[in-house]
Amino acid sequence: MGQPAKVLQLFKTLHRTRQQVFRNDKRALEARVKINEEFKKHKSETSPEKIKEMMKLGSDVELLLRTSVIQGIHTDRDTLQLVPRKDLLTENVPYCDAPTQKQ
């Protein structure tokens, strides 16, 4: 896959992640504008090293959004209800004080 195709793929992935992470939050969904601005601002970049660096940053941002952001909804003045996405919920394995023997 060529460099322009990878950039386009990252652009689309960031927007898909934005839509999933900020679902039903109109103000947060406006991150779309920031994503578009950043890609347009660097549209004419030709340095492979700089492009690789920016691609790494974009991938890191996408990963952080997808794995670390949880929506919260104000239910009243002092209460916030967290709304985790299913992909954030993992099996919680309890800690065991007694290590098991390897066989």
Side-chain angles (χ1 to χ4, degrees), residues 37-51:
E37 283 175 1
E38 288 298 314
F39 275 81
K40 284 179 185 175
K41 183 167 65 173
H42 299 288
K43 184 179 180 179
S44 60
E45 182 62 57
T46 57
S47 166
E49 295 83 22
K50 185 70 175 168
I51 293 171

Side-chain angles (χ1 to χ4, degrees), residues 23-61:
R23 182 176 296 134
N24 300 324
D25 186 341
K26 290 179 183 177
R27 196 170 102 206
L29 282 169
E30 292 173 3
R32 170 186 155 285
V33 174
K34 182 67 174 167
I35 294 168
N36 291 346
E37 283 175 1
E38 288 298 314
F39 275 81
K40 284 179 185 175
K41 183 167 65 173
H42 299 288
K43 184 179 180 179
S44 60
E45 182 62 57
T46 57
S47 166
E49 295 83 22
K50 185 70 175 168
I51 293 171
K52 185 176 180 179
E53 182 182 311
M54 290 185 291
M55 291 283 293
K56 172 76 170 107
L57 176 63
S59 296
D60 290 349
V61 167

